[in-house]
Amino acid sequence: MTAPPSAGPLIEVEHLTMRFGGLVAIDDVSFTARSQAITAVIGPNGAGKTTVFNCITGFYKPTIGRLTLRSAGREFLLERMRGHEIGQKARVARTFQNIRLFSGMTVLENLMVAQHNKLMRASGWSLLGLVGAAGFQRAEAASVELARLWLERIGLVADADRPAGELPYGAQRRLEIARAMCTEPVLLCLDEPAAGLNPRESAELNQLLVSIRDRDGIGVLLIEHDMSVVMNISDHIVVLDYGRKIAEGAPVAVRNDPAVIRAYLGTDEEALDA
Amino acid sequence: MGPRLPLMLKDAGLTAFVAAALGIFIVGFRTVDQGGGKGLGFDYHLVDLVVAVFVIFIGRLGLSMAANGLRWPAIVLGVAMIVAGASPMKLPSGFLHWFVALGGVLLVIRAIWPWASDAMGVAARTPSGVALGKAGTKWFGWLLLAAAVLMPFTPLADQKTMDLGVLILTYVMLGWGLNIVVGLAGLLDLGYVAFYAVGAYAYALLSTHYGLGFWTVLPLAGMMAALFGIVLGFPVLRLRGDYLAIVTLGFGEIIRLVLLNWFDLTNGPAGIGSIPGPTLFGAVFAETPPPGKQTVSEMLGIAFDGNHRLIFLYYIILGLALITNLFTQRMRRLPVGRAWEALREDETACQALGINPTNTKLTAFAIGAMFAGFAGSFFAAKQRFISPESFVFIESAIILAIVVLGGMGSQIGVVLAAVLLIGLPEWFRDLGSYRMLAFGLAMVLIMVFKPRGLISHREPSIRLHPAGSGGGG
C-alpha cells in the first residue's frame, strides 16, 4: 500500500500572502509538507492557520504566492484551480474546524457522497445508473466496501444507517476524517481535529492519524491547538504568528525555540498588559 | 376554575380588542356606490363585526383554557360554537355560520389533542402498533396508488370529482417536480411556474402552428423547459438561499411578462385558443370527428360520452405523475441524487469533497424544469386555451407550499399536501370568495401541528444493514 517516499515534497507553499482589504492575514509564508508525514501548523489564535488551509483547499484565492502539489508524476498549481477541482483532480481533502457533516443523511451516505466523482463516472453521469447497469452496481458495491472499511477503522460500523447528526461529537469528528479519506486523497488537511475531544478520544485520534500516515501513506497537514496531539505525532511543525512563519522544524526543536515560547507565553511587557 | 381565570379573561379581552381594531376597517364598513350621482356612501356591517369579535373572545378563552388543562370547559365552549354555527339561528351572513362552526371544531380538536396524541403515542409503542405503523408506511403509498387508479370506475366519479382529480394530480406532478429542486437539492425556486408556462406555450404554439400532436410535443416541451432551466440556472445558481429565491422570482415574472407582451408569438393577454386535446392512437375525443380524423367512440365502437375525455386526461396525468415519481425515486439512489441532498445539507463541504456545485445544481434545476414542462403541455392540452393569466406568481407559491407542507423531500407528503391544499378549497367552493380561508387554514394547521411538514421521515438512499435489522441501535 505504501508508495516509496517521493524525493521532493508533496506540497510546496511559496511566498503565500493573503490580504483582506488592509488586513494582512498571511504574510509571505513558505513551507513544505511531505508524503507519509504529518506536518502540523500551529500558532496562537488569529495567527492565520485556517487562512493557509483555505488557500490550499481553494476556498480563498491567495493574493500572492504559489502552491504546488506534486503527486504521481503530475504537478498541480492549486492557486489556479477552481474550488472543487482541488478535491477532484489534485486530490486534496480537508475537514473543518466546526464539523461540516451532511447531518440529515446517514453515516454511510456521507461516505458515499465523498466518492461522488468516481461513482458519477461509473453511473455514466446517471444514464447507466438509471437503467441499473451491472458495471455501476459493481462500482457502487465497491464504494460501499470502501466505506465499510473506513467505518471499521473509526469504529462506527454499527451506526452506519443512523443520521450523521445524531452521532456523539467525537464520532462526528472521526466520521469527518473518514469522509475526507473516502475521496482517496494524496493530501489530507485537518483543521483542529482534536478540538472538543476528551483525552481518551484525543489518544484514539492520534492512533487514527498515525495509521493514516503509515498505512495509507499520504501526507497529513494538521492545524491543532492540543499540544499532546501535535508533539506526539507530528514529524514536522510550522509555527505561525500574526500571519508570519516564526519557526519550523522537528517537534523538539520547535518546543524549545525562544520565538515560539514568546509567541505562546508572551514577553514580559505583554504579560503585564494581559 | 382557579385564580388563572381573570388572566384568561383579560387575555381573551385583549385578543378581541385587537380583532375589533383590525376588523373595523376590513369588516365593519365598506364603501358602496349609492348610484344616481350621489357618489360613495358607507354600508355598515357592525353586527357582523360584533358577532365575530364575540366569537373570537370565546374562542381565545377556550384556547387558553385548553392550554391550561381545563379541557372540559374548552370542549363545552367549542361544542356551543359548533351548535351556534350549525343552528338555523339567523346570523347576519352565511359566512359567519361557517366561521363560528369551524372555530368550534378547531377548539374541540385543540382541547382533545393532548388526549389523542397521548393515546396515539401509547398505541404506537405497543408491538402491534409498531408493526401497524411499519406496514402503514410501507403500504400507504400503494393504497393511494390503487385508489387513484380505480377512482374513475367508482360511482364517485362524476364530472366534478374527475375534474378535481385531474387538477390535484397536476399539482401532485408539479409538486414532485419541484421537490427535486427544493426538497432534494435545497434550491429555493420561487419561479417554478415559468417552466410550466414554457411547456404549455411550447405545446400550444407547436400544435396550432405546425399541427404537431400532443405525444410528439410532450418530450419536446420537456426538453425545451429543461433548456430554459439550464439557461436561466447557469448564471444564478452560484447564489445561495434567499438571493437565489429572489432571482428565480424575477425570472418567473420575466417569462410571464414576455408571454404577455410578445404579441406576435403568444397573442399577448388574449392567449391561444382551440388547442387540440391529446389523442388516443390518433383518434380524437369529440362527438363529431374533424375532417380526416376518427373519434375514439367510433374507433372503440362505444357510445359517445363527454366523460371519456376526462377519464383519458385523468389517466394521462396519473401516468405522467407516476413517471415523475419513479424517476425521482431512482435518481435519489444514484450518486447525483445523493449529491443533491448533500448540497442541500452543506454546499461548502460538497466543494471540499470535489463535487462541482454548479453542475450538480444545474441537473436538479433542469430536471425539475423538465417535469414542469411536461405538466405544462398537459395543462395546455386539457384547457385547450392558455393565457399568461394561468402562470402568475401565486401558482409558484402554491406549488412551493405543497412541497414545504408535505415535508421537504417526501414524495407521499406532496400527495397529501396537494389533496389538502387543492382539494379543500375546491370542496369549500360554496364559501365563495372565503374559500381561500380553507387554504390558509390548512396551511396554518399543518405548520402548527407538523412544523417539519406532513411527512418528515427520511428514508436513507442506501443501507449497510438491511432495514429493520436493528443494527444501528
Side-chain angles (χ1 to χ4, degrees), chain A residues 59 83-84 88 96 100 102-106 108-109 113 116-117 119 126 129-130 132 136 140 144 157-158 160-162 179 183, chain B residues 327 330 333-336 338-339 341-342 345-346 348-356 458 460-465 471-472:
Chain A
F59 284 87
H84 69 272
Q88 188 181 2
F96 295 87
R100 284 180 170 264
F102 308 122
S103 46
M105 303 172 79
T106 66
L108 178 62
E109 282 175 320
V113 171
H116 175 78
N117 289 314
L119 284 171
S126 302
L130 269 178
F136 169 65
E140 193 175 56
V144 173
V157 178
D161 298 323
R162 278 175 72 186
R179 186 180 69 181
T183 65
Chain B
F327 188 83
R330 189 99 202 175
R333 285 174 170 73
L334 290 181
V336 69
R338 272 185 224 120
E341 290 197 79
E345 303 269 322
D346 195 325
T348 307
C350 276
Q351 194 187 327
L353 293 174
I355 296 173
N356 185 338
R458 176 182 176 277
S461 66
I462 190 166
R463 283 176 178 279
L464 195 60
H465 314 288

Short mmCIF file of all heavy atoms in Angstrom, two decimals, chain A residues 59 83-84 88 96 100 102-106 108-109 113 116-117 119 126 129-130 132 136 140 144 157-158 160-162 179 183, chain B residues 327 330 333-336 338-339 341-342 345-346 348-356 458 460-465 471-472:
data_model
loop_
_atom_site.label_atom_id
_atom_site.label_comp_id
_atom_site.label_asym_id
_atom_site.label_seq_id
_atom_site.Cartn_x
_atom_site.Cartn_y
_atom_site.Cartn_z
N PHE A 59 -10.65 27.57 -1.00
CA PHE A 59 -11.76 28.40 -0.55
C PHE A 59 -11.41 29.88 -0.68
O PHE A 59 -12.27 30.73 -0.78
CB PHE A 59 -12.17 28.04 0.88
CG PHE A 59 -12.96 26.75 0.92
CD1 PHE A 59 -12.33 25.54 1.01
CD2 PHE A 59 -14.34 26.78 0.81
CE1 PHE A 59 -13.05 24.36 1.00
CE2 PHE A 59 -15.07 25.61 0.81
CZ PHE A 59 -14.43 24.40 0.90
N GLY A 83 -12.36 25.84 -6.94
CA GLY A 83 -12.54 25.21 -5.63
C GLY A 83 -12.69 23.70 -5.67
O GLY A 83 -11.90 22.98 -5.06
N HIS A 84 -13.69 23.21 -6.40
CA HIS A 84 -13.95 21.77 -6.32
C HIS A 84 -12.91 20.95 -7.06
O HIS A 84 -12.73 19.77 -6.77
CB HIS A 84 -15.35 21.46 -6.85
CG HIS A 84 -15.47 21.66 -8.33
ND1 HIS A 84 -15.80 22.86 -8.89
CD2 HIS A 84 -15.27 20.81 -9.34
CE1 HIS A 84 -15.81 22.74 -10.20
NE2 HIS A 84 -15.49 21.52 -10.51
N GLN A 88 -11.17 17.25 -6.61
CA GLN A 88 -11.45 16.28 -7.66
C GLN A 88 -10.18 15.84 -8.39
O GLN A 88 -9.98 14.65 -8.59
CB GLN A 88 -12.43 16.92 -8.65
CG GLN A 88 -12.95 15.98 -9.70
CD GLN A 88 -13.89 16.69 -10.65
OE1 GLN A 88 -14.12 17.88 -10.56
NE2 GLN A 88 -14.46 15.95 -11.58
N PHE A 96 -13.18 20.40 8.63
CA PHE A 96 -13.43 21.78 9.04
C PHE A 96 -13.36 21.92 10.56
O PHE A 96 -13.62 20.98 11.30
CB PHE A 96 -14.80 22.23 8.54
CG PHE A 96 -14.89 22.29 7.05
CD1 PHE A 96 -15.23 21.17 6.31
CD2 PHE A 96 -14.59 23.46 6.37
CE1 PHE A 96 -15.30 21.22 4.94
CE2 PHE A 96 -14.65 23.51 4.99
CZ PHE A 96 -15.01 22.40 4.27
N ARG A 100 -18.47 19.84 9.53
CA ARG A 100 -19.44 20.03 8.45
C ARG A 100 -19.81 18.69 7.85
O ARG A 100 -19.37 18.35 6.76
CB ARG A 100 -18.85 20.94 7.37
CG ARG A 100 -18.85 22.39 7.76
CD ARG A 100 -18.26 23.22 6.67
NE ARG A 100 -18.47 24.62 6.95
CZ ARG A 100 -19.46 25.34 6.46
NH1 ARG A 100 -20.32 24.81 5.66
NH2 ARG A 100 -19.59 26.61 6.76
N PHE A 102 -22.94 16.05 6.51
CA PHE A 102 -24.30 16.17 5.98
C PHE A 102 -25.21 15.55 7.04
O PHE A 102 -25.50 14.36 7.00
CB PHE A 102 -24.41 15.45 4.64
CG PHE A 102 -23.36 15.88 3.66
CD1 PHE A 102 -22.48 14.98 3.10
CD2 PHE A 102 -23.25 17.22 3.32
CE1 PHE A 102 -21.51 15.40 2.21
CE2 PHE A 102 -22.27 17.64 2.43
CZ PHE A 102 -21.41 16.73 1.88
N SER A 103 -25.62 16.37 8.01
CA SER A 103 -26.14 15.79 9.25
C SER A 103 -27.47 15.09 9.08
O SER A 103 -27.80 14.20 9.84
CB SER A 103 -26.21 16.86 10.34
OG SER A 103 -26.77 18.02 9.82
N GLY A 104 -28.26 15.47 8.06
CA GLY A 104 -29.54 14.79 7.86
C GLY A 104 -29.38 13.45 7.14
O GLY A 104 -30.30 12.65 7.13
N MET A 105 -28.21 13.24 6.54
CA MET A 105 -28.01 11.99 5.80
C MET A 105 -27.33 10.99 6.72
O MET A 105 -26.72 11.36 7.71
CB MET A 105 -27.16 12.26 4.55
CG MET A 105 -27.78 13.30 3.65
SD MET A 105 -26.72 13.80 2.30
CE MET A 105 -26.93 12.45 1.17
N THR A 106 -27.41 9.71 6.34
CA THR A 106 -26.84 8.70 7.23
C THR A 106 -25.32 8.70 7.12
O THR A 106 -24.74 9.30 6.21
CB THR A 106 -27.36 7.29 6.90
OG1 THR A 106 -26.87 6.93 5.61
CG2 THR A 106 -28.86 7.23 6.90
N LEU A 108 -23.38 6.23 6.36
CA LEU A 108 -22.94 5.59 5.12
C LEU A 108 -23.11 6.54 3.93
O LEU A 108 -22.22 6.64 3.07
CB LEU A 108 -23.74 4.31 4.88
CG LEU A 108 -23.41 3.56 3.59
CD1 LEU A 108 -21.97 3.10 3.58
CD2 LEU A 108 -24.34 2.38 3.40
N GLU A 109 -24.23 7.26 3.89
CA GLU A 109 -24.45 8.18 2.78
C GLU A 109 -23.38 9.27 2.74
O GLU A 109 -22.93 9.66 1.66
CB GLU A 109 -25.84 8.84 2.90
CG GLU A 109 -26.97 7.92 2.48
CD GLU A 109 -28.33 8.53 2.71
OE1 GLU A 109 -28.53 9.18 3.76
OE2 GLU A 109 -29.20 8.37 1.87
N VAL A 113 -21.22 10.00 -0.58
CA VAL A 113 -21.13 11.29 -1.25
C VAL A 113 -19.66 11.64 -1.50
O VAL A 113 -19.31 12.21 -2.53
CB VAL A 113 -21.82 12.39 -0.40
CG1 VAL A 113 -21.53 13.76 -0.98
CG2 VAL A 113 -23.31 12.15 -0.35
N HIS A 116 -18.28 10.63 -4.80
CA HIS A 116 -19.18 11.10 -5.85
C HIS A 116 -18.57 11.01 -7.25
O HIS A 116 -19.16 10.43 -8.16
CB HIS A 116 -19.58 12.54 -5.54
CG HIS A 116 -20.41 13.18 -6.60
ND1 HIS A 116 -21.75 12.92 -6.72
CD2 HIS A 116 -20.11 14.06 -7.57
CE1 HIS A 116 -22.23 13.61 -7.73
NE2 HIS A 116 -21.26 14.31 -8.27
N ASN A 117 -17.37 11.58 -7.43
CA ASN A 117 -16.83 11.70 -8.79
C ASN A 117 -16.58 10.33 -9.42
O ASN A 117 -16.89 10.11 -10.59
CB ASN A 117 -15.56 12.53 -8.78
CG ASN A 117 -15.88 13.99 -8.51
OD1 ASN A 117 -16.79 14.54 -9.10
ND2 ASN A 117 -15.17 14.60 -7.58
N LEU A 119 -18.15 7.57 -8.63
CA LEU A 119 -19.43 6.92 -8.89
C LEU A 119 -20.18 7.57 -10.05
O LEU A 119 -20.91 6.90 -10.78
CB LEU A 119 -20.30 6.95 -7.63
CG LEU A 119 -19.88 5.95 -6.55
CD1 LEU A 119 -20.65 6.20 -5.27
CD2 LEU A 119 -20.12 4.53 -7.04
N SER A 126 -25.27 9.23 -14.61
CA SER A 126 -26.64 8.85 -14.24
C SER A 126 -27.36 8.04 -15.30
O SER A 126 -28.34 7.37 -14.98
CB SER A 126 -27.51 10.05 -13.88
OG SER A 126 -26.93 10.76 -12.84
N GLY A 129 -26.77 4.44 -14.65
CA GLY A 129 -27.33 4.16 -13.33
C GLY A 129 -28.84 4.04 -13.39
O GLY A 129 -29.44 3.21 -12.71
N LEU A 130 -29.49 4.88 -14.22
CA LEU A 130 -30.95 4.86 -14.31
C LEU A 130 -31.44 3.51 -14.82
O LEU A 130 -32.48 3.03 -14.39
CB LEU A 130 -31.42 5.96 -15.26
CG LEU A 130 -31.73 7.31 -14.62
CD1 LEU A 130 -32.13 8.30 -15.68
CD2 LEU A 130 -32.81 7.20 -13.57
N GLY A 132 -29.82 0.79 -14.39
CA GLY A 132 -29.34 -0.26 -13.50
C GLY A 132 -28.25 -1.13 -14.11
O GLY A 132 -28.25 -2.34 -13.94
N PHE A 136 -22.24 -0.28 -13.04
CA PHE A 136 -22.48 0.69 -11.99
C PHE A 136 -22.74 0.00 -10.66
O PHE A 136 -22.25 0.42 -9.61
CB PHE A 136 -23.67 1.58 -12.35
CG PHE A 136 -24.13 2.42 -11.20
CD1 PHE A 136 -23.31 3.40 -10.67
CD2 PHE A 136 -25.37 2.22 -10.63
CE1 PHE A 136 -23.71 4.16 -9.59
CE2 PHE A 136 -25.78 2.99 -9.56
CZ PHE A 136 -24.96 3.95 -9.03
N GLU A 140 -20.77 0.57 -7.26
CA GLU A 140 -21.42 1.01 -6.03
C GLU A 140 -21.08 0.05 -4.89
O GLU A 140 -20.79 0.48 -3.77
CB GLU A 140 -22.93 1.10 -6.23
CG GLU A 140 -23.60 1.85 -5.09
CD GLU A 140 -25.08 2.05 -5.33
OE1 GLU A 140 -25.79 1.06 -5.53
OE2 GLU A 140 -25.52 3.20 -5.31
N VAL A 144 -19.33 0.94 -1.34
CA VAL A 144 -19.86 0.58 -0.02
C VAL A 144 -18.79 -0.17 0.76
O VAL A 144 -18.62 0.03 1.96
CB VAL A 144 -21.13 -0.27 -0.17
CG1 VAL A 144 -21.59 -0.81 1.17
CG2 VAL A 144 -22.24 0.54 -0.82
N VAL A 157 -19.23 1.01 12.48
CA VAL A 157 -19.98 0.13 11.58
C VAL A 157 -21.43 0.00 12.03
O VAL A 157 -22.36 0.05 11.22
CB VAL A 157 -19.32 -1.27 11.52
CG1 VAL A 157 -20.13 -2.19 10.63
CG2 VAL A 157 -17.92 -1.15 10.98
N ALA A 158 -21.62 -0.14 13.33
CA ALA A 158 -22.98 -0.36 13.83
C ALA A 158 -23.87 0.87 13.61
O ALA A 158 -25.10 0.76 13.58
CB ALA A 158 -22.94 -0.71 15.30
N ALA A 160 -23.88 2.79 10.94
CA ALA A 160 -23.81 3.18 9.53
C ALA A 160 -25.12 3.78 9.01
O ALA A 160 -25.10 4.67 8.16
CB ALA A 160 -23.43 1.99 8.67
N ASP A 161 -26.27 3.31 9.50
CA ASP A 161 -27.54 3.77 8.94
C ASP A 161 -28.22 4.83 9.80
O ASP A 161 -29.40 5.14 9.61
CB ASP A 161 -28.47 2.56 8.74
CG ASP A 161 -27.87 1.58 7.74
OD1 ASP A 161 -27.24 2.06 6.78
OD2 ASP A 161 -28.00 0.36 7.94
N ARG A 162 -27.48 5.38 10.75
CA ARG A 162 -28.04 6.47 11.56
C ARG A 162 -27.72 7.80 10.91
O ARG A 162 -26.68 7.95 10.27
CB ARG A 162 -27.41 6.46 12.95
CG ARG A 162 -28.03 5.48 13.90
CD ARG A 162 -27.27 5.47 15.20
NE ARG A 162 -27.51 6.69 15.98
CZ ARG A 162 -26.84 6.96 17.10
NH1 ARG A 162 -25.92 6.14 17.54
NH2 ARG A 162 -27.10 8.07 17.76
N ARG A 179 -14.73 10.54 6.02
CA ARG A 179 -15.34 11.03 4.79
C ARG A 179 -14.27 11.65 3.88
O ARG A 179 -14.25 11.40 2.68
CB ARG A 179 -16.42 12.08 5.11
CG ARG A 179 -17.18 12.52 3.89
CD ARG A 179 -18.24 13.54 4.23
NE ARG A 179 -17.63 14.80 4.63
CZ ARG A 179 -18.32 15.87 4.99
NH1 ARG A 179 -19.64 15.81 5.04
NH2 ARG A 179 -17.71 16.98 5.35
N THR A 183 -12.45 10.12 -0.21
CA THR A 183 -12.18 10.72 -1.51
C THR A 183 -10.85 10.22 -2.06
O THR A 183 -10.43 10.62 -3.13
CB THR A 183 -12.12 12.25 -1.42
OG1 THR A 183 -11.02 12.62 -0.60
CG2 THR A 183 -13.38 12.85 -0.82
N PHE B 327 -38.97 8.31 -11.51
CA PHE B 327 -37.70 8.90 -11.91
C PHE B 327 -36.99 9.50 -10.69
O PHE B 327 -35.80 9.29 -10.47
CB PHE B 327 -37.97 9.97 -12.97
CG PHE B 327 -36.73 10.53 -13.58
CD1 PHE B 327 -36.10 9.88 -14.62
CD2 PHE B 327 -36.18 11.72 -13.13
CE1 PHE B 327 -34.97 10.39 -15.20
CE2 PHE B 327 -35.05 12.24 -13.70
CZ PHE B 327 -34.43 11.57 -14.74
N ARG B 330 -35.66 6.94 -8.27
CA ARG B 330 -34.49 6.29 -8.84
C ARG B 330 -33.27 7.22 -8.73
O ARG B 330 -32.19 6.80 -8.34
CB ARG B 330 -34.80 5.98 -10.30
CG ARG B 330 -33.82 5.15 -11.00
CD ARG B 330 -34.26 3.72 -11.06
NE ARG B 330 -33.09 2.90 -11.26
CZ ARG B 330 -33.09 1.59 -11.27
NH1 ARG B 330 -34.20 0.95 -11.06
NH2 ARG B 330 -31.99 0.93 -11.47
N ARG B 333 -31.37 7.49 -5.48
CA ARG B 333 -30.46 6.41 -5.11
C ARG B 333 -29.20 6.40 -5.96
O ARG B 333 -28.36 5.52 -5.79
CB ARG B 333 -31.19 5.07 -5.23
CG ARG B 333 -32.16 4.88 -4.09
CD ARG B 333 -33.01 3.64 -4.24
NE ARG B 333 -33.74 3.39 -3.01
CZ ARG B 333 -34.77 4.09 -2.59
NH1 ARG B 333 -35.21 5.08 -3.31
NH2 ARG B 333 -35.36 3.82 -1.45
N LEU B 334 -29.07 7.34 -6.88
CA LEU B 334 -27.87 7.44 -7.70
C LEU B 334 -26.93 8.47 -7.09
O LEU B 334 -27.35 9.29 -6.27
CB LEU B 334 -28.25 7.84 -9.13
CG LEU B 334 -28.99 6.78 -9.94
CD1 LEU B 334 -29.29 7.30 -11.33
CD2 LEU B 334 -28.19 5.51 -10.01
N PRO B 335 -25.67 8.43 -7.49
CA PRO B 335 -24.72 9.40 -6.93
C PRO B 335 -25.21 10.84 -7.06
O PRO B 335 -25.06 11.64 -6.14
CB PRO B 335 -23.46 9.18 -7.76
CG PRO B 335 -23.61 7.89 -8.42
CD PRO B 335 -25.03 7.48 -8.40
N VAL B 336 -25.83 11.17 -8.20
CA VAL B 336 -26.23 12.55 -8.39
C VAL B 336 -27.32 12.94 -7.39
O VAL B 336 -27.32 14.04 -6.85
CB VAL B 336 -26.69 12.81 -9.85
CG1 VAL B 336 -27.98 12.12 -10.18
CG2 VAL B 336 -26.81 14.28 -10.12
N ARG B 338 -27.69 11.70 -4.36
CA ARG B 338 -27.05 11.89 -3.05
C ARG B 338 -26.31 13.21 -3.03
O ARG B 338 -26.29 13.91 -2.01
CB ARG B 338 -26.10 10.74 -2.77
CG ARG B 338 -26.80 9.61 -2.10
CD ARG B 338 -25.82 8.51 -1.71
NE ARG B 338 -26.44 7.26 -2.08
CZ ARG B 338 -25.93 6.40 -2.93
NH1 ARG B 338 -24.75 6.63 -3.47
NH2 ARG B 338 -26.57 5.31 -3.24
N ALA B 339 -25.72 13.59 -4.17
CA ALA B 339 -25.02 14.87 -4.21
C ALA B 339 -26.02 16.02 -4.05
O ALA B 339 -25.71 17.01 -3.40
CB ALA B 339 -24.25 15.01 -5.52
N GLU B 341 -28.76 15.98 -2.28
CA GLU B 341 -29.11 16.10 -0.86
C GLU B 341 -27.93 16.63 -0.06
O GLU B 341 -28.10 17.42 0.87
CB GLU B 341 -29.56 14.74 -0.31
CG GLU B 341 -30.91 14.33 -0.86
CD GLU B 341 -31.55 13.23 -0.04
OE1 GLU B 341 -32.11 13.56 1.02
OE2 GLU B 341 -31.50 12.06 -0.45
N ALA B 342 -26.72 16.22 -0.43
CA ALA B 342 -25.53 16.71 0.27
C ALA B 342 -25.41 18.22 0.07
O ALA B 342 -25.06 18.96 0.99
CB ALA B 342 -24.29 16.01 -0.25
N GLU B 345 -27.59 19.99 2.34
CA GLU B 345 -27.13 19.98 3.72
C GLU B 345 -25.96 20.93 3.92
O GLU B 345 -25.91 21.63 4.91
CB GLU B 345 -26.71 18.56 4.11
CG GLU B 345 -27.79 17.53 3.95
CD GLU B 345 -28.61 17.35 5.20
OE1 GLU B 345 -28.02 17.41 6.28
OE2 GLU B 345 -29.83 17.16 5.09
N ASP B 346 -24.99 20.90 3.01
CA ASP B 346 -23.81 21.74 3.21
C ASP B 346 -23.04 21.88 1.90
O ASP B 346 -22.33 20.97 1.49
CB ASP B 346 -22.91 21.12 4.28
CG ASP B 346 -21.87 22.12 4.77
OD1 ASP B 346 -21.40 22.92 3.94
OD2 ASP B 346 -21.54 22.10 5.95
N THR B 348 -20.54 23.96 1.22
CA THR B 348 -19.10 24.10 1.43
C THR B 348 -18.43 22.74 1.52
O THR B 348 -17.38 22.50 0.92
CB THR B 348 -18.84 24.91 2.70
OG1 THR B 348 -19.58 26.11 2.60
CG2 THR B 348 -17.40 25.23 2.87
N ALA B 349 -19.05 21.85 2.30
CA ALA B 349 -18.46 20.52 2.46
C ALA B 349 -18.45 19.80 1.12
O ALA B 349 -17.50 19.08 0.81
CB ALA B 349 -19.25 19.72 3.49
N CYS B 350 -19.50 19.98 0.31
CA CYS B 350 -19.53 19.35 -1.01
C CYS B 350 -18.35 19.79 -1.84
O CYS B 350 -17.70 18.97 -2.50
CB CYS B 350 -20.81 19.75 -1.75
SG CYS B 350 -22.19 18.74 -1.31
N GLN B 351 -18.08 21.08 -1.82
CA GLN B 351 -16.98 21.61 -2.61
C GLN B 351 -15.67 21.00 -2.14
O GLN B 351 -14.81 20.62 -2.94
CB GLN B 351 -16.96 23.13 -2.48
CG GLN B 351 -16.07 23.78 -3.52
CD GLN B 351 -15.93 25.26 -3.25
OE1 GLN B 351 -16.86 25.90 -2.77
NE2 GLN B 351 -14.78 25.79 -3.56
N ALA B 352 -15.52 20.85 -0.82
CA ALA B 352 -14.30 20.27 -0.28
C ALA B 352 -14.14 18.82 -0.71
O ALA B 352 -13.04 18.31 -0.76
CB ALA B 352 -14.29 20.38 1.24
N LEU B 353 -15.26 18.15 -1.01
CA LEU B 353 -15.18 16.75 -1.43
C LEU B 353 -15.01 16.62 -2.94
O LEU B 353 -15.10 15.53 -3.48
CB LEU B 353 -16.45 16.00 -1.00
CG LEU B 353 -16.63 15.84 0.51
CD1 LEU B 353 -17.96 15.22 0.83
CD2 LEU B 353 -15.51 15.01 1.10
N GLY B 354 -14.82 17.76 -3.61
CA GLY B 354 -14.57 17.70 -5.04
C GLY B 354 -15.82 17.60 -5.88
O GLY B 354 -15.76 17.21 -7.04
N ILE B 355 -16.97 17.92 -5.31
CA ILE B 355 -18.22 17.89 -6.08
C ILE B 355 -18.41 19.26 -6.72
O ILE B 355 -18.29 20.28 -6.04
CB ILE B 355 -19.42 17.55 -5.18
CG1 ILE B 355 -19.26 16.15 -4.62
CG2 ILE B 355 -20.72 17.69 -5.94
CD1 ILE B 355 -20.30 15.79 -3.60
N ASN B 356 -18.70 19.28 -8.02
CA ASN B 356 -18.90 20.54 -8.71
C ASN B 356 -20.30 21.06 -8.38
O ASN B 356 -21.29 20.52 -8.86
CB ASN B 356 -18.76 20.31 -10.22
CG ASN B 356 -18.85 21.60 -10.99
OD1 ASN B 356 -19.41 22.58 -10.50
ND2 ASN B 356 -18.30 21.61 -12.19
N ARG B 458 -37.27 10.58 6.76
CA ARG B 458 -36.46 10.44 5.56
C ARG B 458 -35.90 9.03 5.48
O ARG B 458 -35.26 8.56 6.40
CB ARG B 458 -35.32 11.45 5.59
CG ARG B 458 -34.38 11.32 4.42
CD ARG B 458 -33.22 12.30 4.49
NE ARG B 458 -32.32 12.05 3.39
CZ ARG B 458 -31.39 11.11 3.41
NH1 ARG B 458 -31.22 10.37 4.47
NH2 ARG B 458 -30.62 10.93 2.36
N PRO B 460 -33.25 6.43 4.19
CA PRO B 460 -31.90 6.50 3.62
C PRO B 460 -31.87 5.97 2.20
O PRO B 460 -32.62 5.06 1.86
CB PRO B 460 -31.09 5.59 4.54
CG PRO B 460 -31.86 5.49 5.79
CD PRO B 460 -33.29 5.65 5.42
N SER B 461 -30.99 6.55 1.36
CA SER B 461 -30.93 6.14 -0.04
C SER B 461 -30.16 4.84 -0.19
O SER B 461 -30.26 4.17 -1.20
CB SER B 461 -30.28 7.23 -0.88
OG SER B 461 -28.93 7.37 -0.50
N ILE B 462 -29.40 4.48 0.83
CA ILE B 462 -28.64 3.22 0.77
C ILE B 462 -28.42 2.79 2.22
O ILE B 462 -28.31 3.62 3.11
CB ILE B 462 -27.30 3.42 0.03
CG1 ILE B 462 -26.63 2.08 -0.23
CG2 ILE B 462 -26.37 4.33 0.78
CD1 ILE B 462 -25.50 2.16 -1.23
N ARG B 463 -28.40 1.48 2.44
CA ARG B 463 -28.21 0.98 3.80
C ARG B 463 -27.05 0.00 3.85
O ARG B 463 -26.84 -0.75 2.90
CB ARG B 463 -29.47 0.26 4.29
CG ARG B 463 -30.59 1.18 4.71
CD ARG B 463 -31.80 0.33 5.07
NE ARG B 463 -32.90 1.15 5.52
CZ ARG B 463 -33.00 1.63 6.75
NH1 ARG B 463 -32.10 1.34 7.65
NH2 ARG B 463 -34.02 2.39 7.08
N LEU B 464 -26.35 -0.03 4.96
CA LEU B 464 -25.31 -1.03 5.16
C LEU B 464 -25.95 -2.28 5.77
O LEU B 464 -25.66 -3.39 5.37
CB LEU B 464 -24.21 -0.49 6.07
CG LEU B 464 -22.91 -1.28 6.08
CD1 LEU B 464 -22.31 -1.33 4.70
CD2 LEU B 464 -21.91 -0.65 7.04
N HIS B 465 -26.82 -2.04 6.75
CA HIS B 465 -27.55 -3.14 7.37
C HIS B 465 -28.95 -3.12 6.79
O HIS B 465 -29.53 -2.06 6.64
CB HIS B 465 -27.62 -2.95 8.87
CG HIS B 465 -26.31 -2.55 9.47
ND1 HIS B 465 -25.26 -3.42 9.59
CD2 HIS B 465 -25.87 -1.37 9.95
CE1 HIS B 465 -24.24 -2.79 10.13
NE2 HIS B 465 -24.57 -1.54 10.36
N GLY B 471 -29.69 -3.06 13.42
CA GLY B 471 -28.27 -2.81 13.54
C GLY B 471 -27.99 -1.34 13.36
O GLY B 471 -27.73 -0.84 12.33
N GLY B 472 -28.03 -0.57 14.29
CA GLY B 472 -27.90 0.87 14.19
C GLY B 472 -28.27 1.37 15.56
O GLY B 472 -27.71 2.31 16.06
#
